[in-house]
Amino acid sequence: MEECRLTGDDIACLRGERLLFRRLSLALSSGEALHLAGPNGIGKSSLIRILAGLRRPYAGVINRMGAIGLLDERPVLDEHLPLGKALDFWSRIDASAQSHWEQLGLEPLADVPVRYLSTGQRKRAALARLAGQGAPIWLLDEPLNGLDSDAVATCESMVAQHCASGGIAIIASHQPFAMPGLTKLMLGEYAA
Amino acid sequence: MSAVLALLKRDLALLTPGAHGGGGRRGGTMLPLLFFLAVAMLYPFAVGPDAPLLARTGGGVIWVAALLAAILPLDRLLAPDVEQGFFDQWALRGISEELVVAVRMIAHWLSFGPPLMLATLPAAALLGIDGATLRIVELGLLAGTPGLAAIGIIIAALTVSLRSGAALSGLLVIPLAVPLLIFGAGSLSTGGEGGLALTAAISLALIAAAPFAGGAAIRAAREG
């Protein structure tokens, strides 16, 4: 995987009238992973969107080298389409082959419309979409929500594999995330 | 380029009536078309069987019906893709909002423009419009419906994050569409090419502006 880097310098986040966090700096390079932890409402999702470039930080600078892959609470798949076709759309956009189908147990679901899938199945489908994108920087917002214990292990090993091959991962989660070499950032320490 | 084709293919499957969406669909229905035909059918009942009056005013009725039919799909045009995170994922892949909106505008026009022009044939028969007038109506719709599609997509983008967007977008489209209506339907009474040319000119200007206005509106909605 290509060389990648993600740095944030002195970031502050304003949500409405409220300053969520401030003076937050982070730097990740190829192969590193970071666990953003903290209670609900502390600004984990906002930070993920800021790092993705989808939200402007109230203060601070973000530097990215490498494409961003984002996994949030939405699977971003057409609800009325069978899962296979819905994922095919992203395969065409990303010009990639479908990957991790077997590992994520999606094969039996290929003909099931997305709207009939459970929360955990949607999350697994979203992981397949993310893996197919081939982006070096993964931003995962609550990736373990709704997953059963097997799927949690699969997700953890996918992220570990991604970092082992030179990718970056940032995991925002209030749940523990088991992975070698994971550093933890308590967002609460930067609360304003 | 392959991304543009993938987008267009998805948009057409979502919006075009009759296109196979793989069981159960999101937006594309025959509803605008049926609405258009219903207006053409009801008008003679409302004004009575006065053939000369129907023939004289029928072209204008077709124009008003086309304008109102074009409003129907607006609330499903962009809002679901913003809510479901499609625009975020496209942005991360370097696919600009402008490009997506431009492709969506083409698909939106294809989903109602040509069908309405086809439906104008039975509507013209119902209203007793003669061949020469029908020709001007059809040419006018060809020149004007792309402009309606452009206005529609701008309004859909501006109301993307509003809860009552559906009702509001209808109200917002109508004043913006007045110039198209004046020149498009106006060309019927003058019988001239001038009105058609002006309709086409307005359409072109709107088409040129729509992707940029729509893209900016969607980005602004994301920051909210």
Side-chain angles (χ1 to χ4, degrees):
Chain A
M1 199 170 280
E2 75 222 70
E3 184 73 19
C4 54
R5 197 164 47 240
L6 178 65
T7 59
D9 209 23
D10 208 10
I11 311 168
C13 170
L14 191 73
R15 189 89 215 229
E17 298 285 298
R18 216 156 59 89
L19 196 61
L20 289 180
F21 54 82
R22 64 197 155 76
R23 292 193 197 133
L24 180 123
S25 296
L26 49 82
L28 287 106
S29 52
S30 278
E32 292 184 323
L34 180 72
H35 182 186
L36 288 179
N40 296 142
I42 197 79
K44 296 192 292 290
S45 298
S46 298
L47 178 58
I48 288 281
R49 287 183 69 77
I50 287 172
L51 292 173
L54 294 170
R55 238 186 117 82
R56 265 195 298 268
Y58 182 58
V61 192
I62 317 285
N63 276 305
R64 291 174 215 92
M65 199 175 89
I68 302 267
L70 173 71
L71 177 86
D72 57 15
E73 78 281 5
R74 304 165 296 187
V76 199
L77 297 166
D78 280 313
E79 295 280 323
H80 62 281
L81 287 182
L83 179 61
K85 283 191 176 158
L87 280 169
D88 267 345
F89 170 72
W90 289 113
S91 303
R92 273 197 298 278
I93 293 275
D94 295 326
S96 71
Q98 290 187 346
S99 57
H100 297 83
W101 268 75
E102 215 168 319
Q103 196 182 354
L104 288 162
L106 294 174
E107 268 163 350
L109 303 174
D111 294 326
V112 181
V114 175
R115 64 164 175 266
Y116 296 134
L117 298 182
S118 73
T119 314
Q121 288 169 331
R122 279 158 190 265
K123 197 61 110 183
R124 281 191 272 150
L127 274 166
R129 189 204 72 226
L130 175 77
Q133 189 187 346
I137 304 174
W138 282 9
L139 301 177
L140 313 170
D141 191 359
E142 300 292 356
L144 303 182
N145 265 10
L147 293 182
D148 57 33
S149 53
D150 284 350
V152 166
T154 308
C155 175
E156 287 170 343
S157 78
M158 272 175 70
V159 176
Q161 207 182 346
H162 172 73
C163 291
S165 62
I168 289 176
I170 296 186
I171 302 124
S173 179
H174 59 269
Q175 285 163 276
F177 197 92
M179 179 187 153
L182 186 65
T183 46
K184 199 161 184 173
L185 189 146
M186 298 300 294
L187 206 48
E189 292 168 14
Y190 299 89
Chain B
M1 198 59 213
S2 68
V4 173
L5 289 179
L7 286 175
L8 187 62
K9 201 177 152 207
R10 173 173 178 270
D11 287 359
L12 286 174
L14 286 177
L15 297 173
T16 317
H20 185 61
R25 47 186 325 105
R26 195 180 80 181
T29 61
M30 301 289 280
L31 211 59
L33 209 59
L34 296 174
F35 179 83
F36 175 81
L37 282 173
V39 172
M41 212 164 65
L42 289 173
Y43 184 65
F45 287 116
V47 300
D50 183 350
L53 178 70
L54 283 178
R56 202 171 65 245
T57 55
V61 171
I62 286 179
W63 261 96
V64 172
L67 197 164
L68 295 178
I71 292 174
L72 289 181
L74 289 191
D75 61 320
R76 313 302 298 159
L77 204 51
L78 292 168
D81 279 354
V82 172
E83 273 165 35
Q84 292 172 16
F86 278 91
F87 274 92
D88 289 348
Q89 292 290 339
W90 287 322
L92 293 178
R93 286 161 173 80
I95 301 171
S96 69
E97 288 79 7
E98 283 80 0
L99 178 71
V100 179
V101 170
V103 170
R104 188 66 50 92
M105 176 171 66
I106 294 168
H108 174 45
W109 180 74
L110 286 172
S111 74
F112 85 91
L116 282 192
M117 289 170 66
L118 269 180
T120 298
L121 298 174
L126 288 168
L127 297 166
I129 295 172
D130 61 56
T133 314
L134 177 62
R135 185 180 149 269
I136 298 176
V137 171
E138 289 282 16
L139 284 175
L141 286 178
L142 182 64
T145 46
L148 288 180
I151 295 171
I153 202 112
I154 294 173
I155 298 300
L158 283 171
T159 56
V160 96
S161 56
L162 300 180
R163 221 163 285 280
S164 57
L168 190 61
S169 55
L171 283 176
L172 287 171
V173 165
I174 289 168
L176 287 173
V178 165
L180 282 171
L181 196 64
I182 289 173
F183 292 118
S187 62
L188 288 164
S189 54
T190 58
E193 310 287 311
L196 293 177
L198 277 168
T199 310
I202 297 170
S203 276
L204 283 177
L206 286 167
I207 289 168
F212 300 103
I218 287 170
R219 270 196 302 278
R222 180 180 290 144
E223 284 288 328

